[in-house]
Amino acid sequence: QVQLVESGGGLVQPGGSLRLSCAAFGRVRSINAMGWYRQAPGNEREMVATITTTGTTNYVDSVKGRFTISRDNAKNTVYLRMDSLKPEDTAVYYCSAEVVVSRSPVRASNYWGQGTQVTVSS
């Protein structure tokens, strides 16, 4: 069993900042790729940012230059720093992780956090 616990969402004014955190607990041997997705009402779920085991990052165009994804492997945690927030960033943000749950044999599964609401409004 693996659980991803998200935190850091909330209400912020346009131009403000938030930092989301997502920590993995349970049968976590290691974590491969991690990422953040978001879904606004009526919209498809969208990949926001991903980060590989080696630290290579990828962002959706709309957040480039404003969001920063990072990870702390020792803490099994991924972060999303969000600066210069815009109303269109309003969504439920979901953490995802490919978790290695066994090494002998190697088994990995994808897990999702429960989602944390980010609302950008004046």
Side-chain angles (χ1 to χ4, degrees):
Q1 179 187 346
V2 173
Q3 183 180 16
L4 303 184
V5 180
E6 303 175 0
S7 62
L11 174 64
V12 64
Q13 293 185 340
S17 298
L18 286 172
R19 188 195 191 205
L20 306 183
S21 299
C22 173
F25 298 92
R27 191 177 175 85
V28 180
R29 301 296 181 263
S30 63
I31 303 176
N32 295 330
M34 306 183 78
W36 291 93
Y37 294 70
R38 67 186 180 187
Q39 187 166 21
N43 291 350
E44 300 285 341
R45 186 171 295 189
E46 173 186 44
M47 182 186 295
V48 177
T50 60
I51 185 167
T52 69
T53 56
T54 57
T56 300
T57 59
N58 185 256
Y59 301 91
V60 67
D61 286 345
S62 61
V63 309
K64 288 181 178 178
R66 300 188 298 119
F67 290 12
T68 303
I69 188 171
S70 61
R71 64 190 289 168
D72 186 334
N73 291 329
K75 297 180 179 179
N76 292 329
T77 299
V78 63
Y79 305 95
L80 185 67
R81 172 186 158 196
M82 303 183 293
D83 296 321
S84 302
L85 283 161
K86 304 175 180 180
E88 51 262 44
D89 295 318
T90 296
V92 177
Y93 284 70
Y94 297 91
C95 171
S96 68
E98 183 182 78
V99 179
V100 177
V101 298
S102 175
R103 287 172 175 156
S104 297
V106 175
R107 289 192 291 268
S109 298
N110 293 318
Y111 292 89
W112 292 87
Q114 78 283 1
T116 185
Q117 178 71 49
V118 172
T119 302
V120 184
S121 176
S122 60

